[in-house]
Amino acid sequence: MNKFTKEVMFVGEMASGAKLTVPVYAFTADNNVAAPTVYIQANMHGAEVQGNAVIFQLLELLQQCNLQANITLVPYANPVGCNHKNGEYTLGRFDPITGENWNRMYHFDQAIIAPFVEQNLDASAEEIQTKFQQLLLAQIDKKLAHNIWGITTGQRIAYQLQRLAHQADIVLDLHTGPISSKHLYCPEYAQASAQYFDIEHTILIDNDFGGAMDEATFCPWWSLQQAYQASGRNFTMGEGAFKKESFTVELGSQEQIDLDVAKQDALSILSYLQAKGVIDNKQYQPQKMTRYACYLKDYKALYSPMGGMIDYLADFGKPLAAGEPLARILRMDNYGDGEALHYISLDQQVIPILHFASASVNQGTELYKVFCNYFEI
């Protein structure tokens, strides 16, 4: 049986002096196989709690696995967000002080790429990997170091997590939607890896940094690979020294956990880790299913044309024909002297992925997010 270690990482403190801490679990492989190392975190957004249940199930299962590489797991990644309640609801998506999305506070400075390539143009692949990882970690350490201006609570949490993530080759950031089906945010270059998860729907994202954890951990390496290519050295992203892959794994709906479903999600992650050589347990294989994908530009939000009470009609994950209703809006204020029911449809076939959590919406509320121009992968 594999043993894990547990540490408590200090990420800040409250006005009362109470410490903000995050649990960190780690498995260390006994062998010297050159398998990719792994970092998995959950609950960066307060209401998105299913990932904690998935990490619980992974901790249970990994103790019985044949480990080929080190794995670090962090539940409750944001101790402020998961405790940010308003009545019975967990808010926790935005920093209540700054208003910034908790998952948009990670760091990448594009300006480090060109000087690094110039200084290491003829270095070996192994040297490039080691030195560039050290540079990324030094950048985070510099951010965390005391200076006269300081950093926000959210940045301090994000940078501490990012420091752990930069030490891994594979990063999985576990999230959920409001009311949602399972789906995967996947870098375009890593599309082939999407087939190893038991997730039917994949969003292929650009190789651009927008502040999220997945982008913060693969975009630096993508930018580095592109810069070397421009200088005449060709490396393949996802292989060798550039074997970095990062995904945002959307596990369903927020504000709830299901331990049985979490076990299936854990098995899905293990099938991916088996495919990547992180574990050597061939019983973990991806399920056969039809997998659909679209590019991020074709992952569209539908906003409510009016205020009212929404009856969400469209099933998640199934193609919805053009003209078929996604929802209907009840306007009781119009009953008796106007139209009380209004149907909402689109003029193209789509796959609904998630919808707003509440039935009560204002005009302009994001009702649905859907795949357009989708294809099988």
Side-chain angles (χ1 to χ4, degrees):
M1 177 179 287
N2 300 311
K3 294 184 178 179
F4 60 84
T5 60
K6 178 183 178 181
E7 296 182 0
V8 177
M9 183 170 67
F10 169 67
V11 296
E13 58 187 32
M14 307 299 286
S16 65
K19 305 299 183 185
L20 292 173
T21 60
V22 171
V24 179
Y25 298 88
F27 289 92
T28 302
D30 293 329
N31 53 49
N32 295 315
V33 177
T37 54
V38 180
Y39 173 78
I40 303 173
Q41 73 174 31
N43 207 183
M44 192 61 186
H45 289 142
E48 301 180 10
V49 293
Q50 177 69 2
N52 298 316
V54 173
I55 286 180
F56 165 78
Q57 297 289 16
L58 284 170
L59 287 167
E60 293 282 289
L61 292 165
L62 284 168
Q63 292 179 65
Q64 311 299 327
C65 284
N66 183 9
L67 293 180
Q68 304 297 301
N70 299 341
I71 302 175
T72 301
L73 306 101
V74 179
Y76 303 134
N78 181 356
V80 178
C82 68
N83 289 294
H84 185 194
K85 305 291 287 190
N86 188 350
E88 63 187 285
Y89 299 104
T90 310
L91 302 180
R93 185 173 183 83
F94 302 97
D95 184 332
I97 306 301
T98 67
E100 190 172 357
N101 188 323
W102 288 111
N103 193 35
R104 296 296 184 273
M105 300 188 202
Y106 299 100
H107 174 73
F108 170 47
D109 180 7
Q110 181 73 36
I112 68 174
I113 300 298
F116 181 89
V117 173
E118 183 178 350
Q119 295 165 17
N120 298 276
L121 187 58
D122 298 320
S124 69
E126 292 74 17
E127 287 177 312
I128 291 169
Q129 181 178 23
T130 299
K131 288 182 178 180
F132 191 63
Q133 184 179 68
Q134 290 172 347
L135 176 59
L136 293 175
L137 290 170
Q139 288 266 302
I140 296 300
D141 287 341
K142 185 177 180 180
K143 287 286 186 181
L144 286 168
H146 176 73
N147 63 76
I148 193 170
W149 302 112
I151 54 177
T152 69
T153 299
Q155 289 171 330
R156 186 172 299 279
I157 293 170
Y159 297 159
Q160 297 269 52
L161 297 170
Q162 190 175 352
R163 196 181 195 289
L164 295 175
H166 273 325
Q167 298 173 62
D169 300 307
I170 290 170
V171 174
L172 304 181
D173 193 11
L174 308 184
H175 285 257
T176 67
I179 305 297
S180 177
S181 61
K182 297 177 187 180
H183 53 288
L184 185 72
Y185 284 90
C186 171
E188 291 182 9
Y189 71 83
Q191 176 179 328
S193 294
Q195 67 183 305
Y196 301 125
F197 294 92
D198 295 332
I199 295 177
E200 295 179 329
H201 303 98
T202 296
I203 302 159
L204 298 172
I205 64 175
D206 303 328
N207 303 315
D208 298 320
F209 179 63
M213 170 60 91
D214 55 354
E215 299 159 348
T217 46
F218 82 77
C219 283
W221 294 90
W222 173 262
S223 298
L224 186 68
Q225 182 250 15
Q226 293 291 98
Y228 270 108
Q229 187 175 43
S231 299
R233 292 192 68 180
N234 292 321
F235 296 100
T236 300
M237 192 65 184
E239 299 180 9
F242 292 77
K243 58 185 177 185
K244 307 293 181 176
E245 290 190 348
S246 302
F247 304 89
T248 296
V249 185
E250 300 280 352
L251 298 166
S253 303
Q254 64 188 22
E255 290 280 37
Q256 57 187 7
I257 68 167
D258 185 317
L259 284 166
D260 293 331
V261 173
K263 186 170 185 178
Q264 296 306 310
D265 294 329
L267 294 174
S268 168
I269 290 172
L270 291 178
S271 72
Y272 167 76
L273 298 183
Q274 159 67 27
K276 293 297 172 180
V278 177
I279 61 173
D280 185 15
N281 296 80
K282 292 184 172 53
Q283 72 267 32
Y284 298 122
Q285 298 293 328
Q287 298 177 18
K288 293 182 179 180
M289 60 179 63
T290 301
R291 292 175 171 84
Y292 293 103
C294 77
Y295 291 100
L296 183 61
K297 64 182 177 62
D298 292 319
Y299 185 44
K300 301 290 190 182
L302 171 67
Y303 298 93
S304 182
M306 63 180 69
M309 305 294 120
I310 304 296
D311 183 9
Y312 299 99
L313 300 176
D315 292 332
F316 289 145
K318 298 178 181 178
L320 184 73
E324 289 295 311
L326 282 95
R328 55 191 172 190
I329 302 179
L330 174 63
R331 286 290 298 265
M332 284 303 300
D333 58 310
N334 289 339
Y335 191 82
D337 55 7
E339 294 293 331
L341 285 178
H342 300 262
Y343 285 81
I344 300 174
S345 61
L346 295 169
D347 60 2
Q348 61 179 304
Q349 183 163 297
V350 299
I351 298 179
I353 299 297
L354 60 82
H355 66 65
F356 191 61
S358 175
S360 175
V361 304
N362 298 323
Q363 186 179 40
T365 295
E366 183 182 282
L367 290 184
Y368 272 95
K369 296 194 82 168
V370 301
F371 279 16
C372 303
N373 302 319
Y374 57 86
F375 48 89
E376 291 188 25
I377 58 172

